Amino acid sequence: MITRRLALGLGPALLASPALHAQPAWPSKPVRVIVPFAPGGPTDLIARLMAERLGQEIGGTAIVENRPGANGNIGSAAAANEADGHTVLFSTGTMYTLNPTLYGTSQVDLSRDCVGLATVAALPNVLVVNPKKLDVTSVQQLIERGRKAPGELTYASFGVGSSPHVTATLLQQLGKFEAINVPYGGSAPALNAVLAGDVDFLFDNVTTSTPQIQAGAVRALGVTSSFRTSGLPDVPTLQEAGLTGFEFSGWFAVFASKKTPAEPLAKLRAAMVAAASSSEYGAKLRDRGAEPFVTPDAELETFLAREKDRWANLAQEAGIRRD
């Protein structure tokens, strides 16, 4: 029997009891995955594959929320300001490495405002043209066309500093010609512009362009990686096409606000790594032309810092800047 005196003596202990002060189970609501680009593009596609697997890992639900605009800065700012332990940002490598240089750190700098949770995929770009608008069959023919008509060729991008802009800038630099950048809100509208004949070429992600390449709606001239992709085995690399030193494979990573409490942050990180390491998720990536890419947790911070320095230097050398 617990007497009144004993109950009073146990009061502080009872108040401190984990049963009386148990933290709510995590997740206590769906995890929100902010994708800072329009639906239908490669970032959105891979994010949805990741969200599906993440939901399985946490025994709950992960919901993709598209917040496009300003080359990812709008969605990045939304994620950086949300510290509820249930919000993450699905970022491209160029957003992390180039946006602070091009847009200034007053808006958002992921290295300052967020914490890296995991890298989750890698994906090359493919150079495509609409054969009905621009009848070229090789990279060299495209370059020759650009040299003969300086400033007349147009190309689609997702904005200044996006991977299509970076790779198109490299092509112009190595090919010694100039083309006009026409920015769109993401891969889907940019590819639609090529299909409609509104622009001449696009460095699109393999995942979204492959179906149109296979259907003959667009023509693939080369891939940006140092090796041919399994989904497009007949398409040469740009190095094979004569552009020595041309190599670019975009990567994707997941971030959370630095304001996120330590416990949910650790659980988010563990769940993300587990999801990205899943063989089922990896198989689905490969089916769409992407590859799994998981950086060991102990090396993630170093990898991110190295990539940021690398691409900031490239932007300076290539004259990539916000007009």
Side-chain angles (χ1 to χ4, degrees):
M1 178 181 293
I2 300 179
T3 65
R4 181 174 181 275
R5 178 177 295 179
L6 180 57
L8 290 173
L10 290 174
L14 288 171
L15 289 174
S17 167
L20 294 180
H21 290 276
Q23 295 296 316
W26 185 94
S28 59
K29 60 181 179 179
V31 171
R32 184 167 55 134
V33 181
I34 294 179
V35 176
F37 295 102
T43 306
D44 178 71
L45 186 152
I46 295 175
R48 290 179 188 278
L49 293 178
M50 168 56 64
E52 179 184 11
R53 185 64 203 181
L54 177 62
Q56 296 172 17
E57 292 293 339
I58 64 177
T61 304
I63 300 173
V64 169
E65 178 183 319
N66 295 92
R67 297 285 297 272
N71 197 33
N73 280 327
I74 291 176
S76 296
N81 290 324
E82 185 58 79
D84 64 351
H86 292 76
T87 301
V88 298
L89 172 73
F90 197 92
S91 170
T92 66
T94 52
M95 278 171 50
Y96 181 86
T97 58
L98 292 178
N99 277 15
T101 298
L102 298 173
Y103 291 87
T105 58
S106 60
Q107 293 192 37
V108 63
D109 182 344
L110 294 182
S111 65
R112 178 196 65 199
D113 304 322
C114 291
V115 176
L117 300 178
T119 55
V120 296
L123 182 66
N125 282 358
V126 57
L127 173 58
V128 298
V129 297
N130 182 333
K132 294 180 180 179
K133 176 177 172 59
L134 195 66
D135 188 21
V136 298
T137 59
S138 69
V139 174
Q140 291 303 325
Q141 286 183 7
L142 177 63
I143 291 173
E144 289 171 9
R145 182 71 63 90
R147 289 174 177 172
K148 289 179 181 178
E152 290 189 11
L153 288 181
T154 58
Y155 67 93
S157 77
F158 313 157
V160 175
S162 63
S163 63
H165 179 236
V166 171
T167 44
T169 300
L170 288 175
L171 175 66
Q172 293 171 76
Q173 186 182 45
L174 294 173
K176 296 180 173 56
F177 73 99
E178 293 183 3
I180 298 172
N181 176 23
V182 183
Y184 293 87
S187 178
L191 182 58
N192 285 338
V194 177
L195 293 169
D198 295 334
V199 292
D200 293 305
F201 66 92
L202 164 68
F203 277 94
D204 195 22
N205 298 102
V206 169
T207 52
T208 49
S209 275
T210 294
Q212 300 295 344
I213 294 168
Q214 294 171 339
V218 296
R219 176 179 292 149
L221 303 183
V223 293
T224 61
S225 52
S226 59
F227 53 87
R228 296 193 182 196
T229 67
S230 57
L232 299 169
D234 297 328
V235 179
T237 68
L238 289 176
Q239 294 188 46
E240 290 175 324
L243 297 179
T244 304
F246 198 117
E247 192 277 327
F248 177 92
S249 284
W251 49 266
F252 301 86
V254 180
F255 296 85
S257 170
K258 271 192 177 176
K259 303 171 187 175
T260 306
E263 185 175 348
L265 187 66
K267 290 180 177 179
L268 278 170
R269 177 178 286 112
M272 286 294 174
V273 171
S277 303
S278 161
S279 59
E280 177 186 355
Y281 166 74
K284 289 182 178 180
L285 284 179
R286 293 187 181 95
D287 285 344
R288 292 158 176 81
E291 292 289 334
F293 178 52
V294 183
T295 305
D297 189 53
E299 301 172 15
L300 180 59
E301 188 174 341
T302 300
F303 167 79
L304 293 173
R306 184 174 64 244
E307 283 291 286
K308 188 172 183 179
D309 288 344
R310 174 193 177 197
W311 291 106
N313 291 336
L314 181 146
Q316 184 176 6
E317 293 171 3
I320 300 172
R321 61 187 182 276
R322 186 183 177 204
D323 295 328

